[in-house]
């Protein structure tokens, strides 16, 4: 492993926003996916990235996490440019991503402890119980909800200061949703971690968001503090409907 | 229950239609591929091989394409997202599979027809050139064209049915049928050296009048097999397809609970953990009962082959050479498909999200793949050694010159392992073709060319004379020159692969389907 940042925030970087995205653009197969995307996510906050299907949320998530470089613009994580070398400071749950089906949950977690330098065995034990993950079950035999919980467990067992979740509720049953949402709330308790969550399940997460960023047709259609929305008598859902309905 | 066989057939045929030369671009691909095959045949097969042998090569190629394409189709259907829709069509199960088989046969007839045209052109060019010890008579050429045309036509349904029989062998006692199927599937590959022989006895068996007989037998077998496989798959395969859940084989046979791998899992930290993650995939694969059965069969085949073939030095070295050739073909083939497979299965984001440099990810994958193949090959070599020792081991040791042959073995190992690693690295650079389509034109010949590498080595780097009398300074010098050219090229491609590997998630099968659909709509 070389040039991978450790999950610590030092000096001025600690004061910088967790994510700073400036004029990000992306074109795939001559089709514009994202254009002039600019927004910031404060450290220690929980931000919702909301938008309809095909809005470019997943591509934006991949760029923010540094998996894919943007064609134009810049992305900074805690004041330093995003990229594969910054994967140590963030924990990413991909949309409909799958873990190796030939491993049991226990084997995967054992490997993950070796793969992620910031892995916390204590968090793993604690969250395994809360999320109801059976370590003896093979991933290939898990239901969607069970695998989603295992994936979230993997993300939250790390000590990375930034957690990015792309559609954590897709295809997940009600009980699993509640477990996932409460695990996120539990992790938010210390106020040190930053969460960016892309989801369609606005009602499920509405009470948790500090800020929402609305993405449509590859552009930012709005960015609001949830508290400001409430003060003006609006909800996240009504704001979403105003923009996209 | 209302029958809709035509609509079903049309649905299946649609999945193949995109591969046909129906527009200028795909026509160019087809023409380029078959002209390349014709050119390769004219370069490599002109001096020592008869026209009938070339037609026989064509028949083997048709058998391999028909057989392996249907085998892959039978494997892919279990994990196909459309499977459950397909199974709920209100038609008899036999009609479902019949439509699939008919569409596959039709597609293979297009391919077989193209190969037949290439063989005919080859014969015509050879006859017009007037080369060889005896002139090629027009009636002989015409006889070959017709006879082998009939044989190609009979081989397509025969091999397609053998491939689709796999659909009924996924679970239960029917997995034992995999053993005969494995040997039958290998028959075309094993026939290569036989039909290339210039022996008068063999050539007699390749003449048009005998080939007509083969075509008749193959057609009769195909008709029988068609009925038998339809009944077999409709009876067992379709019910199992309905019960199967994606990743079911990965879930194992203990109801998805397991500890077998864990006990052997040694997890370190950093690169060691990355390597362990990649090795776990191969460990799981080799723990599957189906794979174990096939591996034991392959070991038995290697042992039996060595028992019958290895008598003295030449045959022993020849056997080692055949096993070494696998190192050039197998690891690069696996590595070139693994990342794409992970992208198609939506596992790649997790892999790319691991906090390691992209180069570390690729190197861990390469190390694990090579380690697994070397371990598997080691088992086959041991089986071959036991087979040879039981029969001609004494003669082999007696005729083995440790100075000359030891050096030859060292040269062979350096040549094949070096070439295998170089090709593996070259193929990593394939991800750059997602960025620049022109690069595809460089990679397409490399990917297809892997299978011609053994032939090229035999011609340029390790000819029959070297196998007889050993290697000299010239061979080592050429190997050094080749290494000096290949090593930097391999390093560049590895770097390119690491630089552009993030484009795989945008180039999945699903993304390709969407792009094709939007192009058609446009």
């Amino acid at each position: 492993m070389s040039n991978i940042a450790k999950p610590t925030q030092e000096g001025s970087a600690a004061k910088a926003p967790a994510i700073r995205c400036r004029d990000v653009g992306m074109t795939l197969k001559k089709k514009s996916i994202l254009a002039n995307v600019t927004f910031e996510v404060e450290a220690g906050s929980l931000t919702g990235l909301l938008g309809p299907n095909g809005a470019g949320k997943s591509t934006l998530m991949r760029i923010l996490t540094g998996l894919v470089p943007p064609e134009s613009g810049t992305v900074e994580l805690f004041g330093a440019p995003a990229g594969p070398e910054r994967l140590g400071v963030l924990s990413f749950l991909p949309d409909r991503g799958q873990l190796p089906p030939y491993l049991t949950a226990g084997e995967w977690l054992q490997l993950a402890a070796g793969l992620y330098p910031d892995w916390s065995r204590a968090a793993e034990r604690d969250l395994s119980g809360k999320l109801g993950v059976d370590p003896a079950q093979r991933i290939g035999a898990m239901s969607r909800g069970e695998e989603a919980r295992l994936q979230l467990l993997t993300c939250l067992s790390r000590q990375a200061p930034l957690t990015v979740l792309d559609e954590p509720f897709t295809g997940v049953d009600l009980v699993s949703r509640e477990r996932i949402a409460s695990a996120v709330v539990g992790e938010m308790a210390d106020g040190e971690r930053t969460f960016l969550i892309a989801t369609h399940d606005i009602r499920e997460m509405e009470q948790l968001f500090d800020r929402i960023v609305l993405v449509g047709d590859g552009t930012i259609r709005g960015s609001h503090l949830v508290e400001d929305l409430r003060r003006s008598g609006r909800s996240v859902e009504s704001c979403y409907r105003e923009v996209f309905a | 229950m209302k029958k809709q066989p035509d609509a079903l057939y049309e649905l299946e045929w649609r999945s193949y239609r995109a591969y046909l030369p129906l527009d200028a671009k795909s026509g160019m691909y087809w023409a380029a591929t078959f002209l390349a095959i014709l050119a390769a045949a004219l370069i490599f097969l002109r001096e020592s091989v008869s026209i009938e042998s070339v037609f026989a090569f064509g028949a083997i190629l048709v058998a391999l394409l028909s057989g392996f394409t249907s085998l892959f189709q039978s494997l892919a259907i279990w994990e196909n997202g459309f499977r459950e829709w397909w199974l709920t069509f209100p038609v008899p199960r036999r009609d479902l599979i019949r439509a699939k088989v008919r569409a596959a046969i039709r597609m293979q007839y297009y391919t077989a027809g193209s190969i037949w045209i290439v063989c005919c052109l080859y014969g015509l060019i050879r006859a017009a050139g007037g080369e060889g010890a005896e002139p090629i008579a027009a009636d002989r050429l015409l006889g070959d064209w017709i006879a082998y045309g009939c044989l190609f036509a009979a081989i397509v349904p025969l091999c397609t049915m053998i491939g689709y029989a796999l659909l009924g062998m996924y679970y239960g006692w029917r997995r034992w049928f995999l053993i005969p199927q494995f040997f039958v599937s290998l028959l075309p590959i094993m026939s290569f050296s036989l039909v290339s022989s210039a022996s008068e006895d063999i050539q007699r068996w390749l003449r048009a009048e005998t080939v007509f007989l083969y075509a008749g037998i193959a057609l009769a077998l195909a008709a029988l097999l068609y009925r038998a496989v339809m009944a077999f798959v409709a009876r067992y395969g379709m019910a199992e397809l309905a019960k199967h859940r994606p990743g079911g084989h990965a879930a194992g046979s203990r109801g998805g609970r397991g500890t077998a791998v864990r006990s052997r899992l040694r997890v370190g930290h950093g690169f060691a953990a990355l390597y362990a993650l990649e090795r776990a995939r191969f460990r799981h694969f080799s723990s599957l009962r189906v794979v174990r059965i096939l591996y034991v069969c392959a070991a038995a085949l290697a042992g039996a082959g060595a028992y019958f073939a290895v008598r003295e030095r030449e045959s022993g070295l020849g056997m080692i050479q055949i096993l070494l050739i696998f190192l050039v073909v197998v690891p690069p083939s696996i590595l070139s498909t693994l990342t794409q497979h992970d992208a198609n299965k939506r596992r790649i984001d997790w892999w790319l999200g691991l906090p390691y440099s992209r180069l570390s990810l690729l190197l861990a994958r390469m190390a694990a793949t090579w380690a697994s193949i070397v371990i598997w090959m080691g088992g086959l070599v041991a089986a071959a050694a036991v087979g040879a020792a039981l029969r001609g081991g004494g003669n082999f040791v007696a005729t083995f010159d440790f100075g000359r042959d030891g050096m030859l073995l060292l040269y062979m190992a350096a040549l094949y392992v070096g070439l295998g690693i170089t090709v593996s690295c070259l193929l990593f650079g394939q991800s750059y073709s997602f960025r620049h389509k022109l690069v595809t034109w460089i990679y397409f010949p490399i990917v297809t060319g892997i299978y011609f590498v053994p032939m090229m080595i035999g011609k340029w780097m390790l000819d029959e004379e070297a196998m007889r009398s050993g290697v000299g300074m010239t061979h080592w010098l050429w190997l050094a020159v080749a290494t000096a050219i290949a090593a930097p090229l391999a390093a560049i491609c590895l770097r390119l692969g690491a630089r552009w590997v993030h484009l795989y998630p945008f180039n999945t099968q699903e993304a390709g389907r969407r792009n094709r659909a939007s192009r058609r709509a446009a």
Side-chain angles (χ1 to χ4, degrees):
Chain A
M1 190 173 77
S2 59
N3 304 324
I4 301 293
K6 295 273 188 316
T8 53
Q9 300 167 49
E10 292 161 0
S12 62
K15 291 167 192 165
I19 299 172
R20 181 181 283 144
C21 187
R22 281 190 195 141
D23 295 325
V24 165
M26 186 75 179
T27 306
L28 283 173
K29 316 260 180 202
K30 297 176 186 169
K31 187 183 168 194
S32 173
I33 307 293
L34 296 170
N36 302 318
V37 171
T38 301
F39 70 95
E40 286 186 2
V41 172
E42 271 178 51
S45 69
L46 195 157
T47 302
L49 189 67
L50 311 177
N53 292 327
K57 294 193 298 297
S58 289
T59 304
L60 181 58
M61 288 286 202
R62 282 180 175 143
I63 292 173
L64 296 179
T65 51
L67 294 188
V68 178
E71 291 206 325
S72 59
T74 57
V75 176
E76 288 177 3
L77 304 178
F78 301 107
E85 63 286 350
R86 297 282 292 164
L87 286 167
V89 300
L90 67 95
S91 182
F92 177 47
L93 177 85
D95 176 25
R96 287 174 290 165
Q98 289 180 5
L99 297 174
Y102 40 84
L103 297 175
T104 63
E107 286 162 3
W108 163 249
L109 293 173
Q110 200 183 342
L111 279 163
L115 287 165
Y116 297 109
D118 56 348
W119 190 262
S120 161
R121 281 287 190 189
E124 178 201 323
R125 273 193 300 273
D126 178 39
L127 285 162
S128 287
K130 281 183 189 165
L131 289 167
V133 171
D134 175 3
Q137 193 170 11
R138 213 172 277 279
I139 295 170
M142 285 181 170
S143 67
R144 276 188 205 173
E146 286 167 334
E147 191 177 346
R149 277 163 14 221
L150 175 62
Q151 294 197 25
L152 188 77
L153 167 61
T154 308
C155 281
L156 298 183
S157 296
R158 293 181 59 193
Q159 299 299 296
L162 172 62
T163 302
V164 178
L165 309 177
D166 192 0
E167 300 290 357
F169 300 116
T170 304
V172 175
D173 61 87
L174 184 72
V175 175
S176 296
R177 278 167 192 239
E178 286 171 359
R179 282 181 167 179
I180 288 172
S182 67
V184 170
V185 172
E187 287 304 309
M188 283 298 294
D190 59 8
E192 301 230 328
R193 286 180 100 153
T194 309
F195 280 80
L196 176 66
I197 303 176
T199 180
H200 287 107
D201 294 79
I202 298 171
R203 284 177 195 162
E204 203 88 49
M205 298 297 289
E206 177 158 10
Q207 302 306 317
L208 305 179
F209 292 141
D210 299 318
R211 174 183 284 277
I212 56 164
V213 177
L214 301 165
V215 186
D217 294 328
T219 58
I220 296 294
R221 305 284 289 273
S223 175
H224 308 276
L225 280 170
V226 175
E227 196 52 38
D228 289 349
L229 287 176
R230 287 192 192 120
R231 273 196 209 116
S232 62
R234 295 150 78 202
S235 66
V236 171
E237 188 179 342
S238 64
C239 177
Y240 183 93
R241 285 185 190 282
E242 278 168 31
V243 176
F244 296 114
Chain B
M1 204 178 267
K2 191 185 173 188
K3 281 191 180 182
Q4 289 183 314
D6 288 337
L8 267 180
Y9 170 71
E10 192 55 35
L11 177 75
E12 298 297 343
W13 175 239
R14 288 285 170 129
S15 65
Y16 292 104
R17 255 179 68 92
Y19 299 104
L20 288 179
L22 296 175
D23 54 45
K25 195 177 169 188
S26 48
M28 206 162 65
Y29 279 125
W30 273 65
T33 305
F34 288 105
L35 279 175
I37 293 174
L38 179 61
L42 285 167
I43 293 166
F44 293 113
L45 305 176
R46 194 152 194 166
E47 290 154 12
S48 53
V49 180
S50 73
I51 287 180
E52 286 77 15
S53 289
V54 172
F55 270 105
F57 287 150
I60 289 172
L61 196 58
V62 169
L64 287 174
L65 283 170
S66 305
F68 281 94
T69 307
S70 47
L71 273 177
F72 286 129
Q73 293 281 347
S74 305
L75 284 173
I77 197 172
W78 298 86
E79 306 296 316
N80 189 331
F82 184 63
R83 176 177 55 101
E84 284 174 338
W85 275 100
W86 181 66
L87 286 169
T88 53
F89 288 145
V91 294
R93 310 293 80 184
R94 199 177 282 218
D95 284 357
L96 286 179
I97 192 65
R98 185 182 291 132
K100 208 168 258 306
V101 165
R102 280 175 59 209
I105 289 175
R106 181 174 168 189
M107 180 65 205
Q108 290 307 327
Y109 271 132
Y110 281 97
T111 318
S114 306
I115 294 170
W116 180 75
I117 290 170
V118 168
C119 291
C120 291
L121 282 174
Y122 174 88
L124 207 60
I125 293 168
R126 279 271 299 261
E131 289 183 26
E134 51 180 310
I136 299 163
D139 58 341
R140 176 183 154 195
L141 200 59
L142 197 64
D144 285 343
W145 286 1
I146 299 169
Y148 279 95
C150 294
L151 183 63
F152 284 19
I155 283 176
V156 167
L158 179 65
C159 293
T160 304
M161 294 322 297
I162 291 171
Y164 271 103
L166 184 69
L167 271 177
M169 303 177 194
Y170 231 61
Y171 290 104
W173 57 268
R174 292 166 303 282
R175 279 184 286 196
W176 290 103
F177 285 132
L178 287 168
I179 297 173
Q181 195 192 39
F182 175 75
F183 284 112
V184 169
S185 302
L186 284 185
L187 273 179
I189 299 171
M190 292 192 285
S191 312
F192 257 115
S193 59
L194 190 73
V195 300
S196 61
S197 166
S199 140
E200 184 56 35
D201 287 340
I202 300 289
Q203 287 301 315
R204 199 179 306 132
W205 290 103
L206 299 180
R207 283 183 194 153
E209 52 272 28
T210 333
V211 171
F212 275 120
L213 186 67
Y214 304 150
I217 294 169
L219 203 60
L221 275 176
L224 274 175
L225 215 56
Y226 182 81
R227 285 175 179 278
V229 169
M230 286 297 166
F232 178 63
V233 172
R235 169 78 177 77
Y236 297 105
M238 301 305 267
E240 283 158 359
L241 263 171
K243 277 188 274 179
H244 177 82
R245 50 168 296 163
H249 267 266
S253 54
R254 292 181 296 275
R257 301 178 71 81
T259 51
V261 180
R262 187 193 293 181
S263 59
R264 287 183 288 149
L265 204 64
R266 286 190 207 95
V267 182
H269 286 273
F271 189 83
L274 211 50
Y275 173 80
L277 175 69
E278 296 291 344
R279 271 284 288 144
R281 181 199 306 258
F282 293 99
R283 280 198 169 134
H284 167 74
F285 181 71
S286 55
S287 73
L288 295 176
R289 190 180 297 167
V290 173
V291 177
R292 281 185 186 170
I293 291 170
L294 292 179
Y295 186 72
V296 169
C297 291
L301 198 67
Y307 179 82
F308 290 112
V310 177
R311 301 281 170 81
E312 66 290 308
R313 175 192 168 276
E314 276 80 13
S315 48
L317 289 173
M319 185 97 191
I320 292 169
Q321 189 184 20
I322 289 171
L323 290 172
L324 280 171
I325 285 171
F326 279 96
L327 291 182
V328 182
V329 177
V330 180
S333 303
I334 292 174
L335 284 166
S336 69
T337 49
L338 218 52
T339 312
Q340 186 64 62
H341 178 74
D342 278 355
N344 292 340
K345 293 283 176 191
R346 292 182 171 275
R347 288 177 210 143
I348 198 164
D349 282 331
W350 272 102
W351 184 63
L352 289 175
L354 294 173
Y356 295 85
S357 70
R358 301 282 157 82
L359 196 59
S360 301
L361 295 180
L362 294 186
L363 286 174
R365 179 156 283 188
M366 189 156 101
T369 305
W370 270 86
S372 306
I373 300 299
V374 167
I375 290 166
W376 293 340
M377 291 304 297
L380 295 184
V381 169
V386 170
L390 285 175
R391 176 86 177 263
N395 286 343
F396 176 69
V397 174
T399 52
F400 191 85
D401 179 325
F402 282 90
R404 178 195 60 185
D405 297 331
M407 191 59 80
L408 178 62
L409 279 178
L410 194 66
Y411 177 82
M412 280 162 63
L415 177 65
Y416 285 107
V417 173
L419 198 64
I421 291 174
T422 305
V423 178
S424 301
C425 292
L426 286 181
L427 289 176
F428 274 137
Q430 202 173 355
S431 53
Y432 188 46
S433 65
F434 297 139
R435 181 74 182 170
H436 292 290
K437 281 290 162 202
L438 271 179
V439 179
T440 311
W441 286 97
I442 300 171
Y443 271 96
F444 182 65
I446 293 178
V447 174
T448 47
I450 291 176
Y451 303 99
F452 293 100
V453 165
M455 218 185 281
M456 288 184 232
I457 288 178
K459 196 171 172 69
W460 291 314
M461 303 285 287
L462 191 65
D463 57 12
E464 284 179 14
E465 179 55 31
M467 288 296 284
R468 264 197 306 273
S469 354
V471 289
M473 189 53 81
T474 327
H475 287 94
W476 286 105
L477 203 64
W478 275 114
L479 186 61
V481 171
T483 308
I485 297 167
L489 201 64
I492 290 169
C493 287
L494 193 58
R495 288 269 167 200
L496 271 179
R499 172 79 181 80
W500 298 104
V501 69
H502 64 269
L503 292 180
Y504 272 100
F506 300 106
N507 289 277
T508 57
Q509 279 176 342
E510 193 186 330
R513 273 196 293 271
R514 275 202 305 267
N515 287 335
R516 278 196 297 275
S518 52
R519 271 204 303 274
R520 269 186 220 137

